[in-house]
Amino acid sequence: MTHAARLDADPPAEPAESAEPAESAEPAEPLLPPVRPSLYDRFASRLAGDVRAQRLYAWLGPAIVVLLAAALRLWNLAAAHDLMNQFDETYYVKDAWTLSQLGYEAAWPSEANSRFLAGDVNVFTTDPAFVIHPPLGKWIIALGMMVLGPANGWGWRITTALLGTAAVLLLMLIAKMLTRSTTFAVVAGLLMAVDGLAISMSRVALLDTPLLFFVLLGFLFVLLDRERTMTRIAQTVAARYNGDEPPAWGPLLWNRPWILAAGAALGAASAVKWSGVWVLAGLGVYLVVTDALARRRAGVLFWPTDAIRQGVATFVLLVPVAVAVYVASWSGWLLTDGGYGRHAADANPATGVWAWVPLPLQNLWLDHVAMFTSASGITSGHSYASPAWQWPLLLRPTGMYYHHDAVGVDGCAASNGCSEVVASIPNPLVWYAGVAAVLYLAYRFVVARDWRHALVLTGIGVTYVPWLFYPERTIFQFYTVLVLPFMLLALTFALRDIAGPQHADAYRRHTGQRLVIVFLAVALALSAFWYPVISAMPVPYDFWRLHNWLPSWV
């Protein structure tokens, strides 16, 4: 009988009831329904098939985050009608006003703060004031007062608030270029939009937020250059192969407009605070190293020497424009006669090799020597001083402003009175998670050698590490507003890994994405809890005390 016939044959008869029962087979495992993709994965799948929806999401998500950031920074901006004389707002606001009126920073009488806050803003003298920071950040503050007037905090804080909002947008652009994901770009931007440190530093007229803006702008321009340059190097070297023989030299690239733009941005950063110079130097080294590695990957025979040759060209593109922007920021001082040290070299001008330097620039150099000497010698004690080694531990966040009203005063109904506080403390959950994420990213870089991780770690290095070399200098936790965006980028990479790779199974994606959602929900709740005490909202004193989780936070 053929096999086909057997298949077509009648089935065998049922065994007789008296026959021994056959050994029962184990029951088959029930077939479980396939795990349904997560809500986010279904959303992403629908987006992938709709180009118009992708475009809408690509701008609508970041736009909502920017609007949220703007609302948190601009709402009731003048709430603390004070110049916060415990910190440098008292100096920068008055310096900015005299810059706008005289072209240089002028001295004020001893009772200037009270008279300025009362509206008598022109009590300054024409005598020069000694300053230890370049003028660009103060010009930015002055712009707001020139537009809105100096009568209250709206005038002297508006430009800082707008640049703080713009910094959130810049962070999202950088995150989008690094992750190629709108969602994780929005996550990075959202964490910065609601962070207490970023918000509080955008609501006071200090120099750190303008510095942050220009530093992020410089990093964005370097990223744009990388996208353009790496491809050009690979294509040019490939075209120069002679059969299997690699070329001895790669291309010498001068047409790099984004490097010029980065130089201008970092020159502006240095013209706000000198710590911008560290970023300029660090990114310069990063450019040389990435050029060298690109030439080695492409097969250039003498790639180390080739990278040095290109490094000289990169220096010429990056540094002179930065110096030009920096010197231009001193135009008010150079074009007037009243600034501090404006004629310091007149009686004894340089001779010999430096005799060719114009006298105003000689004066500027001597002024810078005096500024550096004074700044490097700031070691006086301060109740909120925090050396850089403490910053990752968040041991001493900075209290910018505190005002207390007793019960019955200005509508206060709390038995222990009411407080108005501006505390420049980051979201504690996000901060500590960000510190852990930086360590994780360093590990991932050692394992995977990912250039994106290298860029983020470069950002951490140039904004944090230099401060470790000044253990005796009086410095503060709020300086970490410049470190914060790079910590958030590291955290974004970590959250993306927790959420699971695209090729992971549905269960892994479900679990990872739920963890990320829980983390973000708790972070947002903590940000809402902290917002009243970073924005000078009147709150019961006991509510303020609830935020002092460590004794050193008081």
Side-chain angles (χ1 to χ4, degrees), residues 447-459:
V447 172
R449 295 291 197 274
D450 192 321
W451 70 267
R452 298 169 301 173
H453 300 165
L455 184 69
V456 176
L457 293 172
T458 297

Side-chain angles (χ1 to χ4, degrees), residues 103-167:
Y104 61 90
E105 297 96 335
W108 293 74
S110 58
E111 72 283 4
N113 275 20
S114 58
R115 295 179 66 177
F116 192 98
L117 293 172
D120 191 3
V121 299
N122 292 321
V123 296
F124 54 85
T125 72
T126 57
D127 296 331
F130 177 68
V131 297
I132 60 171
H133 290 298
L136 182 57
K138 290 168 278 188
W139 276 114
I140 290 171
I141 295 170
L143 180 62
M145 291 192 283
M146 292 165 67
V147 174
L148 298 181
N152 58 52
W154 276 103
W156 64 73
R157 295 176 185 144
I158 182 65
T159 49
T160 306
L162 292 176
L163 289 182
T165 303

Side-chain angles (χ1 to χ4, degrees), residues 19 24 53 115 204 207 246 272 347 400 445 466 474 483-484 538 549:
S24 60
R115 295 179 66 177
V204 293
L207 305 181
V272 174
M400 295 282 185
F445 174 69
T474 307
V483 188
L484 178 67
W549 293 357

